Amino acid sequence: MKKMNRRYCVLLSIFICQVYTMLAQECAGKQELQSSIQQVHKLLSAQEASYLQSLRTLRKKLNLLQYSVAHLPAKPKNFTCPNLDTPVNGRKLGTVLLPGHDVHFLCDVGYELVGSETRRCKDSLSWTGQQPLCKDINECLSTPCANGGTCTDEVNAFSCVCPHGWAGPTCQSPTPTLFVSITNTSSASTGAEAASSFPLTQSAFTWKSKCSQVQGTTLCTCEPGYTISGRDNSICTDIDECSTRQNNCTRDQLCINTYGGFQCVKVDCPHIRNATYVKTSPVRCERNPCPVDSMSCSQAPNSVSYHHMSVVSNLSTPRVMFRVSAVRMIGDTLRFALLGGRIRRYFTVQRSDRQTGELLLVSPVQGPVTLEVEVEMTELERRELLGRYITRITIFVSQYEF
């Protein structure tokens, strides 16, 4: 615009000089002078119009700039996401509210999580997911009471009102027979560098023997797999076929004692494409080092641990069956998940603390049946996968409630 103004000024000066020159000359005609003056007027009008248009354009730009500044979003007072509420009957794990960090939620025993188990602080300083709630588990929905028993839902448990002639937690037992004792078993650890598993204490049940009079002699019997004990031979105790070597398991098999019997199991390392495993203990397989360029190998589980449990039929729920925990953390996030869909009718996974996940039995299981459960622990660092650790739990459910 400065160059145009300069050019118009030069042309205007030339025209004015021409007019004065013509006035000074006697020979200059009137018509010629008027023509020169008209040209000067046109030049001034054009310059004035261009100048006004430039002012209007400049005014529009100033108004647009003023509008943009007025509608800028307010600068946040801080650079953290808002604090999240802890659900009633639950807990919240995680206190860092900066973008990229997670907050985990878990419910107390007897409650199930409804909503997002994990919420992440986004760059926009808002949270992913929905605020979770802890809903009371109605254990009576699975109709645990047998033989016409009436189920009453309670906090963290249920109770059965049994009809005459039946007793036990789920009304499966004749009234006069059941005796229960609790026996602690030692915890078992996978010895994992990144993860370890700890089965919970299990219950060992004794059962009153069935006695009858035969020709003046009292004869007492037990179910197969149980032996008579007690001063008056009135108690039936499970026979541990594994410790007494009353089994036919081969050397490459593990003997697992069950209530009323035993199982012979063989632990084989998994066969996963582009990944190989080596057995580092009788119940643990670890992945061999991966080639640098093999993405599928690096995403395969770092280790697979195998555990076996024996339980009686129709255990009361909810009940913590197994714990998976990290010995030490390298990353900033641990996630626990239950693999497989069919098993979810009986089990779920919840957190007990930041580094521990629990396998929770949520519905009674009627035996005899064998259940296969897989719990996955994933370790992350800034959302990047560091490792996956699989725990495979085989649960032998007895046909008996003792």
Side-chain angles (χ1 to χ4, degrees):
M1 190 172 76
K2 289 182 179 180
K3 291 183 178 180
M4 292 181 62
N5 291 339
R6 197 178 303 118
R7 185 181 66 182
Y8 278 118
C9 290
V10 172
L11 291 176
L12 183 61
S13 300
I14 292 174
F15 274 113
I16 292 175
C17 289
Q18 288 179 350
V19 171
Y20 276 105
T21 302
M22 296 172 69
L23 288 174
Q25 297 177 357
E26 295 179 358
C27 60
K30 181 179 179 181
Q31 186 176 0
E32 186 176 1
L33 288 174
Q34 288 179 344
S35 176
S36 298
I37 292 173
Q38 288 177 356
Q39 291 183 12
V40 173
H41 275 292
K42 289 180 180 181
L43 182 62
L44 288 174
S45 299
Q47 175 65 14
E48 183 180 12
S50 176
Y51 179 73
L52 293 176
Q53 181 62 34
S54 299
L55 286 179
R56 285 193 293 268
T57 301
L58 182 59
R59 185 175 289 107
K60 288 182 179 180
K61 290 182 179 181
L62 288 174
N63 291 336
L64 181 61
L65 181 61
Q66 184 178 9
Y67 178 83
S68 300
V69 172
H71 289 78
L72 283 176
K75 185 177 180 181
K77 296 181 180 180
N78 53 44
F79 296 95
T80 61
C81 285
N83 193 23
L84 296 174
D85 295 331
T86 300
V88 180
N89 299 314
R91 286 183 287 166
K92 179 179 67 175
L93 304 177
T95 58
V96 180
L97 307 180
L98 296 174
H101 286 262
D102 294 340
V103 172
H104 306 282
F105 300 90
L106 55 95
C107 294
D108 298 336
V109 176
Y111 296 87
E112 60 181 345
L113 191 73
V114 179
S116 301
E117 179 182 354
T118 300
R119 302 187 69 182
R120 172 162 294 177
C121 179
K122 298 188 293 186
D123 294 336
S124 60
L125 302 184
S126 61
W127 293 98
T128 61
Q130 301 294 327
Q131 179 66 23
L133 300 173
C134 290
K135 182 181 177 182
D136 178 45
I137 298 175
N138 187 354
E139 291 82 8
C140 292
L141 292 178
S142 60
T143 60
C145 302
N147 297 307
T150 303
C151 181
T152 302
D153 183 46
E154 301 174 355
V155 179
N156 301 337
F158 71 94
S159 62
C160 292
V161 179
C162 301
H164 179 70
W166 298 96
T170 56
C171 303
Q172 289 276 6
S173 309
T175 302
T177 56
L178 183 62
F179 294 87
V180 181
S181 63
I182 304 298
T183 302
N184 293 330
T185 60
S186 60
S187 298
S189 172
T190 62
E193 181 176 344
S196 60
S197 305
F198 303 91
L200 297 185
T201 301
Q202 301 176 17
S203 299
F205 294 82
T206 59
W207 192 261
K208 189 173 182 179
S209 61
K210 298 177 181 179
C211 300
S212 60
Q213 294 289 331
V214 179
Q215 296 179 354
T217 304
T218 302
L219 297 179
C220 297
T221 60
C222 296
E223 298 289 348
Y226 289 81
T227 183
I228 292 179
S229 62
R231 293 181 180 180
D232 54 356
N233 291 331
S234 61
I235 301 299
C236 292
T237 304
D238 175 59
I239 300 173
D240 188 347
E241 293 86 357
C242 296
S243 63
T244 57
R245 298 185 180 180
Q246 301 180 46
N247 63 83
N248 57 356
C249 298
T250 61
R251 290 186 177 181
D252 62 341
Q253 292 178 322
L254 297 176
C255 181
I256 307 299
N257 182 60
T258 62
Y259 292 102
F262 67 93
Q263 293 284 341
C264 297
V265 299
K266 183 179 180 181
V267 175
D268 293 319
C269 290
H271 298 281
I272 299 178
R273 186 178 180 181
N274 298 325
T276 59
Y277 290 81
V278 60
K279 188 178 289 188
T280 56
S281 79
V283 293
R284 180 178 174 81
C285 296
E286 295 193 26
R287 190 186 68 200
N288 288 317
C290 293
V292 177
D293 58 345
S294 179
M295 180 65 69
S296 58
C297 177
S298 61
Q299 292 181 345
N302 295 60
S303 67
V304 181
S305 301
Y306 300 83
H307 294 271
H308 306 85
M309 299 179 62
S310 300
V311 299
V312 297
S313 183
N314 286 314
L315 281 176
S316 61
T317 58
R319 180 185 296 262
V320 177
M321 303 292 290
F322 206 87
R323 287 195 178 102
V324 180
S325 181
V327 174
R328 67 172 182 270
M329 284 184 59
I330 301 176
D332 56 16
T333 303
L334 280 179
R335 293 178 181 173
F336 298 91
L338 183 65
L339 303 183
R342 297 181 61 185
I343 206 68
R344 295 180 184 274
R345 60 176 295 192
Y346 297 117
F347 298 97
T348 188
V349 170
Q350 66 179 15
R351 286 177 179 267
S352 60
D353 56 47
R354 185 170 179 264
Q355 295 182 218
T356 304
E358 294 179 335
L359 177 66
L360 186 69
L361 179 69
V362 296
S363 179
V365 182
Q366 173 71 51
V369 67
T370 300
L371 302 177
E372 301 282 346
V373 187
E374 286 191 344
V375 178
E376 179 188 57
M377 183 178 72
T378 306
E379 189 170 19
L380 305 170
E381 172 67 30
R382 296 181 180 178
R383 309 181 190 180
E384 295 293 330
L385 178 67
L386 295 184
R388 296 174 56 219
Y389 307 92
I390 304 295
T391 300
R392 292 183 178 175
I393 309 162
T394 303
I395 303 176
F396 300 106
V397 184
S398 170
Q399 61 179 315
Y400 307 116
E401 292 191 17
F402 51 90

